[in-house]
Amino acid sequence: MTVANSPGQATDSSTLLRELAAHHHVVTTFKGWDGTPREVSDETLRRVLSALGVAVDTEDEMAASLAEGRLSEWRRTLPGAVVVREGGSHSVAVHTPAGEDATVFITLEDGGQRGLDWPRVPAEELDLDGTLTARTLVRLPLDLPLGWHRLEVKCGGKQADTVLVVTPARLTTAAQLAQRRAWGLMAQLYSVRSSRSWGIGDLNDLADLAALSGADHGAGFILINPLHAAEPVPPLEPSPYLPTTRRFFNPLYIRVEDVPEYAYLPAAATAQVEESARALSAANRSTDLLDRDATYAAKLAALEQVFSVPRSIAREQQFQRFCDLEGPGLESFALWSALAEKLPAGAPEWEQITGPDSSYVRRNEQDLAPRVQFFKWLQWICDQQLENVQAAARSAGMSIGVVHDLAVGVHPAGADAWMLRPVLAPGVSVGAPPDMFNQQGQDWSQPPWHPQRLADAGYLPYRDMLRTVLRHAGGIRVDHILGLFRQWWIPAGSAPGEGAYVHFDHEALIGILALEAERTGAVVVGEDLGVFEPWVQEYLGERGVLGTSILWF
């Protein structure tokens, strides 16, 4: 679509569109897999920019959007987030009315405070809507500790603050592998079955596999498929790479008999659970397709029985501490699970349920509360059994233990798409451009992070996801880690090849990944296969992130 009829005007419009795309880190030309330069169409650029919230319908709108985009930093006192490397020399741009002094300080993660010097001379001044505004570069201390801090500014009776994240210059967790290499197994947990499985491999099976391979054969790790949660009730999405959330886990993998309250079930209930396990046990020796739905339905029924058993005082306190630790994110996920259990995908009620505070949720809060509690409890049980698995792996002599797999994204109608809507880009999905193996390109149907909104949220949704996955992990494999640098965005309804690359702040995303992994002692493996810019692998190596090579190739 062109805005004007004359060739000269159309060219001006296209030039303006490309300037706007460059400002918002949308790539207008790229090299294909065969090295041939490719031009992104104007229509694709318009739709990708629209997904970023940029007005592009007319030439006047584009000009206004470009002008506003150039002023956006000046309109805010501080950036949405500041992410730096430890030990480096960094300055932060602070915007205040010209001629006014400001007080700037850092509130550290541990509660301590550090005052910063306010330069007397601003770096630049600009007339902003009739107000002379100064940009002052405030230097950060060189010795800031790793962690999540707050940068605060007080000026003229007003206050502003932002997240300040200090990340490792280099992740140190893989240093052990330089002295002694490790080998390990790669397993799809659902197919790792024992005589006690319910037709699907579970976390107890994983602990046994770790003990066997570590103690008896010297393996250093087990890399498993993503254990992210699928739908709350059958039918389940078969692919672990299209989960409803990447933050929470799939109760399908719970070993029911390992839940402590199982021992206190009434005899009749115990017999019922044992019969369910027995009925599914034949599948443990079958080479037929796995029946996730049958196993999950039986486990849910059994787990509901176990959930009804009163917990001891100590166990109840542990449960409450877990809920407090996971906070609103767990509450929202459990709420979505209760809603999704009640309402099928595509039900008209979902149009009203735009978030946890919607009127539908408030009207049905009392009815939903017991199920919300149940789904929170399921996540607590997953967390406890995951902790036991990693402990078993390390006790067996594994130097790393369990390496979890982080999927690229989530189901477009899942929990994350609902809970994290404010920081996701609408109307586009993530995929891959054409290559020699997929000459039509790929559309993974997953909604991407909105780069600016994620930064404005202080990267907290990204951090919280990483923390949950890493809590009981010896390592993490990041599927398509190239997506932390740039993503191929495909407008809804377009062919996979009709997309555009959108660049992300890789320094922030890789830095936060390194920080959270450093804190748990986990190694990070990036799946860096496919089409990428040559410097990316060098950068990952510099930050201490391991790469992926396939022996066949």
Side-chain angles (χ1 to χ4, degrees), residues 256-265 306 309 315 381 384-385:
V256 177
E257 296 89 338
D258 284 358
V259 182
E261 285 73 28
Y262 175 77
Y264 298 97
L265 278 176
V306 179
V309 175
R315 290 274 296 165
I381 299 302
Q384 290 202 314
Q385 295 196 359

Side-chain angles (χ1 to χ4, degrees), residues 414-474:
D416 277 1
W418 183 74
M419 297 186 298
L420 303 179
R421 186 179 303 178
V423 292
L424 298 178
V428 288
S429 60
V430 178
D435 59 34
M436 67 178 71
F437 297 107
N438 256 297
Q439 297 192 10
Q440 301 302 312
Q442 302 172 59
D443 187 342
W444 303 330
S445 77
Q446 299 164 337
W449 296 115
H450 187 296
Q452 187 58 55
R453 291 178 193 160
L454 182 61
D456 289 343
Y459 293 102
L460 298 185
Y462 176 65
R463 179 201 70 179
D464 293 343
M465 173 193 71
L466 291 173
R467 283 188 174 177
T468 303
V469 175
L470 286 166
R471 184 179 300 132
H472 305 305

Side-chain angles (χ1 to χ4, degrees), residues 189 196-205 232 234 250-257 259 273 276-277 280 292-307 374 377-378 385:
L189 180 54
R196 296 181 180 179
S197 308
W198 291 35
I200 296 287
D202 61 36
L203 292 169
N204 188 287
D205 295 322
N250 195 336
L252 172 68
Y253 299 113
I254 290 174
R255 172 67 66 87
V256 177
E257 296 89 338
V259 182
V273 173
S276 293
L280 292 163
R292 292 172 175 79
D293 293 341
T295 295
Y296 193 41
K299 281 194 176 183
L300 279 179
L303 288 165
E304 285 169 358
Q305 298 253 38
V306 179
F307 176 67
F374 173 64
W377 177 82
L378 287 178
Q385 295 196 359

Side-chain angles (χ1 to χ4, degrees), residues 27 46 48 67 97 101 145 169 235 267 273 329 421 471:
V27 179
R46 281 194 177 86
V48 168
D101 286 344
V273 173
R421 186 179 303 178
R471 184 179 300 132

Side-chain angles (χ1 to χ4, degrees), residues 46-237:
R46 281 194 177 86
R47 296 185 64 189
V48 168
L49 286 167
S50 294
L52 289 167
V54 182
V56 291
D57 285 347
T58 66
E59 193 167 318
D60 286 345
E61 278 189 354
M62 286 190 283
S65 293
L66 186 58
E68 184 58 31
R70 289 168 175 164
L71 294 176
S72 59
E73 288 184 4
W74 287 83
R75 295 194 185 281
R76 54 197 311 167
T77 305
L78 288 166
V82 177
V83 183
V84 299
R85 297 194 202 189
E86 65 174 335
S89 178
H90 305 284
S91 296
V92 178
V94 180
H95 297 95
T96 58
E100 292 192 17
D101 286 344
T103 301
V104 188
F105 57 95
I106 297 169
T107 300
L108 299 172
E109 195 173 48
D110 63 7
Q113 284 197 343
R114 302 277 295 273
L116 305 184
D117 292 332
W118 178 255
R120 292 294 175 186
V121 180
E124 192 178 355
E125 292 183 344
L126 179 74
D127 188 325
L128 187 63
D129 302 330
T131 300
L132 189 61
T133 301
R135 170 180 285 168
T136 304
L137 299 180
V138 177
R139 188 171 295 279
L140 299 178
L142 296 175
D143 60 345
L144 284 174
L146 295 176
W148 293 78
H149 316 300
R150 301 292 303 182
L151 177 64
E152 302 178 50
V153 174
K154 293 181 179 178
C155 180
K158 295 182 178 180
Q159 183 170 340
D161 63 273
T162 193
V163 168
L164 169 60
V165 194
V166 180
T167 70
R170 178 180 174 84
L171 183 61
T172 65
T173 52
Q176 57 176 311
L177 300 175
Q179 281 76 45
R180 184 181 178 186
R181 297 178 68 181
W183 70 271
L185 306 178
M186 181 176 180
Q188 311 302 318
L189 180 54
Y190 38 79
S191 64
V192 178
R193 294 166 289 173
S194 68
S195 60
R196 296 181 180 179
S197 308
W198 291 35
I200 296 287
D202 61 36
L203 292 169
N204 188 287
D205 295 322
L206 181 58
D208 285 344
L209 181 61
L212 176 67
S213 57
D216 293 354
H217 300 283
F221 63 88
I222 297 180
L223 168 62
I224 53 173
N225 59 281
L227 303 187
H228 308 315
E231 291 74 12
V233 292
L236 300 182
E237 164 61 47

